[in-house]
Structure formats: C-alpha cells, structure tokens
Amino acid sequence: MTTPIQLAEQLSTTTLLRFATAGSVDDGKSTLVGRLLHDSKSVLTDQLEAVEDASRKRGQDAPDLALLTDGLRAEREQGITIDVAYRYFATTRRRFILADTPGHVQYTRNMVTGASTAELAVVLVDARNGVVEQTRRHAAVAALLRVPHVVLAVNKMDLVDYAEPVFAAIAKEFTAYAASLGVPEITAIPISALAGDNVVEPSANMDWYGGPTVLEHLETVPVSHDLTACHARFPVQYVIRPQTAEHPDYRGYAGQIAAGVFRVGEPVTVLPSGRTSTIAGIDLLGSSVDIAWAPQSVTVRLTDDIDVSRGDLIAPLDDAPSVTQDVEATVCHVADRPLAVGQRVLIKHTTRTVKAIIKDIPSRLTLDDLSQHPAPGKLVANDIGRVVVRTAEPLALDTYADSRRTGSFLLIDPADGTTLSAGMAGASFATVTPAPAPADDDAEWDF
C-alpha cells in the first residue's frame, strides 16, 4: 500500500492539467465530475456522507454524485449548475484542477471564466439529443479561448441501449464542426456518468469502443502549457531600490516571468519606451542565477540605469511584441451593465493599467450559428463581440493566438473597478482549411 509520504513524493513529480467541463442543461456535467471524483477515490468520507444524507432527504435511494460539485443552495434546489465549481484532485499519474462550468446560455460568461486557463475542455452531449445549439456554443467558446484539447463525452449511452451508430453519428457531426473552428484535437468518448461506463473504468456494455476512458485520457493527454517554449516576456511588477549601505546602487525589477526564458548577458528592450539594455543579473530566491524561465518570480538587473517602472515589459531585443494604441480584439462581456461605443474604460494588460475608450464595436457573434451581427452599438452580459479600443498610452501586446498570457486583457469600469469584459487580442478563430466531406456518409466512424 502506498504511504502518504510516498504519494506526496509521486505527486511532486507529476504534471498538472487544468480542464473544464461544459454542456447543455441536464446533460450530466456535475454527475460526470462527481463520478470522476468518486471512482478515482478523490472524495473524502465526510463529503460522501453529506451527499448521501442530502440524497436521502430528496427521496433518492442512491447518492446523487452531482451534489459533490453543485454547492450553491440554488443549484441543489434547481438541479442545475450556476457558478463555476473548482475541484482539485490527483492520481499517481497527474494532478488536476477542474472547473465545472454552467450550461445555461445566460451563464456563458461563467464558462469563459472557467475555461480561460484550461488546457482541455470536456463538452458533454446527451446521446438522446445529439449536438444542439448549446453544444455548438461551447465548442465555439473553446475555440475562441484557444483550448488545445477538446473531449466530446457522449453521455447517457445507457438510455440509447449503448448503440454504436448513435455515438458515431454524434461524434462525426461534432468533430466536423469543432475542426472547422480550428480546434486542433478532438477526442470522442461514449460514457454513462450515472452508471460509470468509460468514466474511470472501461465499460463492459460498449465492447465496440476501444479508446481510452475519460480519466485515462486526462492522465495521458500531452500537457501543452510549456511556457518556456513561448516568446520571452517579463512584465515588471515592482522596482526594488533599497539604497542602503549594504546595497547603495542596487536597482532590480521584480515580477513573474509570463513566458519564455531569460539569460544573463541577453540583449533586451523595455517596452513601451523602446529603450535597450542587457541583462546584468537575475536574482531568484536570494541567489544569483544565470538563467530563469516562466513562471518563476525573479528580480532582473540591467547594465544600464534606464527608466523602468511597474507595467513596463522586458522582452528579448530580437523577439519583442509590437507596441500599439489601437487594440483590436474579441471580448466576452461579463458585466450586467452594457459596453457601448464611446465608453471610457481602463484596460489591464499584465501589470499595466491604462485609460482607454471604446472606439468601435464592429460586430457581435452569435455562437449557435457563428453569424456576425454588424455594428450592434453595444454588448450586454454574455455577449461575445469584436471591439476596437484606443488606449491613452501604448501597450506591448501579443496576439492571443501567440500567447494566452500576454495576449489577454481586462476592460474595467474606472468608476468602481468592476470588470466589464475579458479580451483576446487579434483574430477570433484560428484560420483553418475546411476538410473535404467524406465520400460515403454511411462510412463507419473511425475510432
């Protein structure tokens, strides 16, 4: 038996996967998450006892595993997910941060919040209903957020007699749609969250399926958030200038490396000023190092005493982002108050916050059919649209396609600090070449 110390040592060497679940109302998202936690032995005894007690009070014979994630009273009363529920669990192969997101249209902003940092999204579909409008919405949001891996979990297969043709038709339709949006990898898995088929253990009822279970796929999917392979970016958070007898001339720029690798002796530029220098030293945890990488928190020293302050961005001289005052982006509006043309806002990008004005809202996106509504004039809660923002000061901004960390920003109400919209700079969807239609529509689905 593995001891707690041995398990801790194993987990310290495992990778971390952030993933989100999404789907239409009553597709079984919370039940899937509950089953995943229960069958992977990630539920504490007192938690399970509380769920069993709550289930008995509702007249249910078996524990309702959905209650493991639906923690709000309104969620339990209505049997729906309203807020994003985060759960942390681990196996011997990998650690997980799970975001169980709502399925209702009016909670689209909650899904954006939950999936914004995810490397994988699990989209559930009821096998009886197939791909519906909300399924397409969630696929579109995953594509907008550049989530690299999408799992289609065709749930409630027990209610369609575990029929392979039902699963194959749904998987074919969804895969074609998601691929047209630029989703790079799609994996389809037939499951029954209620019965536990293909969630943690392989299903004896679907011997025609030879792929991985949900947990097996989560444990083995390549984690593609290697920030060291990205363009090197260091937003300055704080200037350290002690001016003491021990350190009379020390000047360091502290912050967390957002992406990439920095080395002593490397020529760099400080943006938005454009001044150049060379890295003289890097201090990490009280010691000097020759190299540092994302997401380490370090202090960088430069050879030249140039003007650097909070909000500036240090980048390699030969790989610096463009500097602009006109930001074109896709935003998801999360506030209850509308976002309108001419509105004055604050834009927060990494550690830099500047004044800005909404110059234009060229279009609003309808996620069910991806149609563009030109010149809507304003965006309301849960709307996703294109905006053009003019900033009072230049921003060193990457496109969201190049960097999810330095290509994202927030629009903030300057009056009370409320977050208005979450923005993604650059093009909306990945540019893809449509795949040719299959020659035989009745061809068997290739697993």
Side-chain angles (χ1 to χ4, degrees):
M1 179 180 294
T2 303
T3 66
I5 294 178
Q6 291 173 327
L7 180 59
E9 291 175 348
Q10 291 173 352
L11 295 181
S12 67
T13 61
T14 58
T15 56
L16 171 67
L17 176 69
R18 298 174 182 267
F19 73 100
T21 59
S24 300
V25 179
D26 295 331
D27 276 355
K29 298 180 303 301
S30 297
T31 302
L32 170 62
V33 173
R35 174 64 64 184
L36 195 60
L37 295 173
H38 179 271
D39 289 6
S40 62
K41 307 296 189 294
S42 300
V43 181
L44 298 177
T45 302
D46 59 338
Q47 290 177 308
L48 186 58
E49 289 175 351
V51 167
E52 291 173 343
D53 182 59
S55 300
R56 280 193 299 270
K57 291 179 179 178
R58 297 171 62 174
Q60 296 172 300
D61 295 330
D64 184 355
L65 298 179
L67 299 180
L68 288 170
T69 56
D70 288 339
L72 298 178
R73 178 180 296 178
E75 293 178 323
R76 296 192 175 193
E77 289 175 349
Q78 299 179 49
I80 62 172
T81 300
I82 296 175
D83 200 3
V84 180
Y86 291 95
R87 290 294 178 269
Y88 309 86
F89 69 102
T91 66
T92 56
R93 304 176 71 178
R94 180 166 279 177
R95 292 170 291 124
F96 302 95
I97 299 178
L98 181 158
D100 183 25
T101 68
H104 282 69
V105 177
Q106 62 265 39
Y107 300 129
T108 300
R109 56 187 174 183
N110 301 63
M111 184 200 169
V112 171
T113 300
S116 60
T117 58
E119 290 93 42
L120 182 146
V122 179
V123 178
L124 267 77
V125 170
D126 188 325
R128 299 169 300 175
N129 302 328
V131 176
V132 296
E133 284 187 10
Q134 193 68 341
T135 309
R136 290 190 286 269
R137 288 190 186 99
H138 291 145
V141 170
L144 281 170
L145 294 172
R146 311 282 173 159
V147 178
H149 306 281
V150 171
V151 172
L152 172 69
V154 182
N155 193 22
K156 304 187 181 181
M157 288 296 296
D158 53 314
L159 301 182
V160 293
D161 297 325
Y162 300 102
E164 178 183 2
V166 173
F167 167 71
I170 295 172
K172 182 177 180 180
E173 180 182 355
F174 179 87
T175 300
Y177 180 77
S180 70
L181 299 177
V183 177
E185 180 181 292
I186 304 138
T187 302
I189 304 175
I191 68 169
S192 170
L194 188 64
D197 293 287
N198 283 338
V199 177
V200 173
E201 300 295 335
S203 171
N205 299 306
M206 292 179 279
D207 54 2
W208 45 264
Y209 172 75
T213 65
V214 173
L215 181 61
E216 183 182 354
H217 183 70
L218 294 176
E219 287 182 323
T220 58
V221 66
V223 177
S224 56
H225 58 68
D226 182 10
L227 297 176
T228 62
C230 304
H231 304 287
R233 302 289 185 260
F234 180 67
V236 176
Q237 184 174 356
Y238 187 73
V239 179
I240 298 178
R241 188 83 167 90
Q243 293 181 305
T244 61
E246 185 180 1
H247 303 287
D249 301 317
Y250 186 95
R251 185 191 298 270
Y253 309 106
Q256 183 183 51
I257 300 175
V261 178
F262 287 91
R263 297 175 174 84
V264 172
E266 181 179 12
V268 294
T269 181
V270 179
L271 300 173
S273 68
R275 295 183 178 89
T276 60
S277 186
T278 302
I279 296 179
I282 302 174
D283 298 329
L284 173 66
L285 298 176
S287 301
S288 295
V289 296
D290 293 328
I291 184 173
W293 54 86
Q296 291 178 331
S297 295
V298 300
T299 301
V300 173
R301 292 178 280 118
L302 303 179
T303 57
D304 304 285
D305 289 335
I306 59 179
D307 183 14
V308 182
S309 59
R310 174 182 171 86
D312 287 345
L313 185 77
I314 298 176
L317 184 60
D318 58 354
D319 186 26
S322 59
V323 176
T324 182
Q325 287 184 258
D326 291 299
V327 179
E328 297 184 16
T330 299
V331 301
C332 175
H333 192 61
V334 300
D336 291 327
R337 68 194 72 167
L339 183 73
V341 174
Q343 186 172 343
R344 297 185 181 277
V345 297
L346 296 176
I347 182 169
K348 177 174 173 53
H349 172 249
T350 63
T351 58
R352 188 175 184 83
T353 302
V354 302
K355 296 179 180 178
I357 188 170
I358 307 298
K359 284 184 60 179
D360 190 19
I361 303 179
S363 62
R364 177 176 60 83
L365 182 67
T366 301
L367 291 178
D368 50 357
D369 59 4
L370 298 183
S371 61
Q372 298 281 349
H373 293 251
K378 65 179 181 180
L379 299 176
V380 298
N382 295 301
D383 276 352
I384 293 178
R386 296 288 294 172
V387 299
V388 178
V389 183
R390 175 72 176 180
T391 61
E393 302 172 32
L395 289 179
L397 198 68
D398 288 297
T399 64
Y400 191 78
D402 288 335
S403 173
R404 295 174 76 185
R405 303 260 329 246
T406 55
S408 58
F409 60 86
L410 296 176
L411 297 180
I412 299 172
D413 189 330
D416 57 9
T418 301
T419 298
L420 299 173
S421 301
M424 297 154 280
S428 300
F429 295 102
T431 302
V432 296
T433 302
D440 182 8
D441 290 340
D442 295 326
E444 183 178 355
W445 177 261
D446 182 11
F447 299 108

